[in-house]
Amino acid sequence: MAEAYIVETARTAGGRRGGVLRDWHPANLGAEVLNALVDRTGIDGAIIDDVIVGCVTQGGEQAFAFGRNCVLASKLPQSVPAVTIDRQCGSSQQAVQFAAQAVMSGTQDVVVAMGVESMTRVPMGSNVFLYGKAELGEGPFSDRIVERYGTKNFSQFIGAEMIAKKYGFDREALDAYALESHKRATAARNEGRFDAEIIPLDIDGGTHSRDEGIRDDATLETISSVKLLQPDGMISAANASQICDGAAGVLIVSEAALKKYNLTPKARIVNLTVTAGDPVIMLEEPLPATDHALKRAGMKIDDIDLFEVNEAFAPIPMAWLKHTGADPEKLNVNGGAIALGHPLGASGARLMTTLVHSLHAHGKKYGLQTMCEGGGIANVTIIEAV
């Protein structure tokens, strides 16, 4: 089978809801990623065969062929096509996998996979609740789905609580994990580990190049003082991912394109996996998906040098660690979405960007990325640094 290579990655620094990126149209955020990928590689943008853009809340400024609008807002020629996809939180990880599959199939040679989400300007769930307010339709879950699963309440928050209870975690453990995420992210930022992956953005009065959500002063006491989302639960805003604005992208090419355009690969795609399970508990699927991916790749968990498991909620990576037996020192070494933010459709490409850079920075070989996704789906991508 033909190989697919990652030759460049880039991301914006995350912005808090209503924060430094509040005045940025999401298409312009996507355009900055496209421009950076072209500038960093020196390629002619006209050679890009396709741009695959992950975005979850496709409404308002993120509607109307949003991926195409990112291209039109960039310096790429209008001849470059684009498409927008939604696999919930895994949207841009799926974009990476679709791009790799296109290259591996031999149908395309140069593909950009990226994700964009402005959770400030297009609030999470607004493409559902605005229809509800207008009394248009019955919502995304039909009567057949409700009858099959015996509930209308397909909620990521309930799923996170269910996982915490199933795997025996208490709030203190979740909060301790959250604190560690902030500590690792603070150390990574202060040591300049994010510098090479971040695209500086011009903001009124300065430049945005530091993730806005990292809390240097976080303590177990401050995290534990945050109100629980449910009175009898364990999940709070402090041990869950932060609402975030941001964009990230990955340029994936064939071996022929490496030679033709004199490009230097950063990583080789080893395995592409997607699986699905229970849509009620919803967020548990990265566990069996990782097992499946490793089996298909002929690898064991100890063969992997670094892991990026999205911190949608603290119990997700904690349950993943407990299930896989992976070394916790290899997991989210630069912190995760609890500290850095989770810009929904952009997070998959953000994690891949960080993983590629981390493998090279630490002189490591294999990396594995996985994310929990709405509907009980999970993607797993294994890469080899080259």
Side-chain angles (χ1 to χ4, degrees), residues 16-304:
R16 289 181 181 175
R17 177 172 53 183
V20 294
L21 296 179
R22 64 185 178 277
D23 296 326
W24 275 74
H25 192 291
N28 292 342
L29 286 176
E32 289 297 312
V33 171
L34 290 170
N35 292 344
L37 293 174
V38 169
D39 290 344
R40 291 180 178 190
T41 55
I43 64 170
D44 178 353
I47 72 170
I48 296 173
D49 293 307
D50 205 357
V51 176
I52 306 172
V53 181
C55 182
V56 173
T57 310
Q58 294 179 33
E61 294 177 350
Q62 293 174 172
F64 196 75
F66 176 62
R68 174 63 170 164
N69 291 339
C70 292
V71 170
L72 297 179
S74 76
K75 62 183 180 182
L76 298 185
Q78 66 180 17
S79 59
V80 177
V83 65
T84 316
I85 64 168
D86 171 16
R87 203 189 282 279
Q88 294 293 280
C89 297
S91 294
S92 57
Q93 183 173 359
Q94 183 61 59
V96 168
Q97 297 195 179
F98 279 154
Q101 288 167 341
V103 167
M104 295 164 111
S105 72
T107 57
Q108 295 176 325
D109 288 302
V110 182
V111 185
V112 172
M114 66 182 227
V116 185
E117 202 87 32
S118 174
M119 299 180 74
T120 295
R121 298 171 72 97
V122 187
M124 179 173 62
S126 58
N127 56 345
V128 175
F129 66 69
L130 290 178
Y131 276 77
K133 286 184 177 180
E135 298 183 349
L136 294 172
E138 300 178 9
F141 304 112
S142 74
D143 55 347
R144 295 183 183 182
I145 298 171
V146 173
E147 182 180 356
R148 181 176 182 179
Y149 290 99
T151 182
K152 291 184 178 181
N153 209 350
F154 295 89
S155 165
Q156 59 180 326
F157 304 103
I158 292 175
E161 293 282 3
M162 292 172 70
I163 290 171
K165 292 175 183 176
K166 179 176 179 177
Y167 288 89
F169 305 131
D170 57 21
R171 184 185 180 179
E172 184 178 1
L174 304 187
D175 288 346
Y177 182 94
L179 177 60
E180 182 64 19
S181 183
H182 283 285
K183 286 182 175 180
R184 291 187 180 194
T186 297
R189 184 202 60 205
N190 292 347
E191 294 169 12
R193 283 185 254 153
F194 295 133
D195 293 353
E197 64 190 60
I198 288 178
I199 311 159
L201 299 178
D202 292 330
I203 304 293
D204 289 342
T207 300
H208 176 53
S209 60
R210 292 161 67 93
D211 294 291
E212 195 178 12
I214 303 173
R215 294 184 172 89
D216 304 60
D217 59 350
T219 65
L220 192 57
E221 289 71 28
T222 58
I223 290 173
S224 300
S225 68
V226 176
K227 183 180 178 181
L228 292 169
L229 299 182
Q230 296 181 12
D232 59 345
M234 290 176 273
I235 304 296
S236 74
N239 59 38
S241 56
Q242 294 185 45
I243 291 174
C244 182
D245 305 331
V250 180
L251 182 60
I252 297 175
V253 307
S254 65
E255 190 168 4
L258 287 178
K259 297 174 182 177
K260 183 175 181 179
Y261 302 113
N262 194 29
L263 297 169
T264 302
K266 294 180 181 294
R268 178 181 69 89
I269 302 292
V270 173
N271 176 266
L272 306 169
T273 291
V274 60
T275 68
D278 186 346
V280 179
I281 197 169
M282 192 179 294
L283 309 179
E284 190 179 23
E285 193 58 21
L287 284 59
T290 296
D291 295 339
H292 184 71
L294 290 170
K295 183 177 180 180
R296 285 185 63 87
M299 304 178 76
K300 296 181 179 179
I301 197 72
D302 291 338
D303 294 330
I304 307 297

Side-chain angles (χ1 to χ4, degrees), residues 309-358:
V309 178
N310 193 42
E311 295 175 356
F313 301 89
I316 312 309
M318 293 172 67
W320 182 90
L321 277 173
K322 190 171 185 177
H323 173 82
T324 62
D327 182 351
E329 295 304 313
K330 296 180 178 181
L331 173 66
N332 299 349
V333 295
N334 296 322
I338 290 172
L340 299 169
H342 178 16
L344 298 184
S347 287
R350 200 285 293 169
L351 266 65
M352 181 57 71
T353 294
T354 298
L355 182 58
V356 170
H357 282 268
S358 294

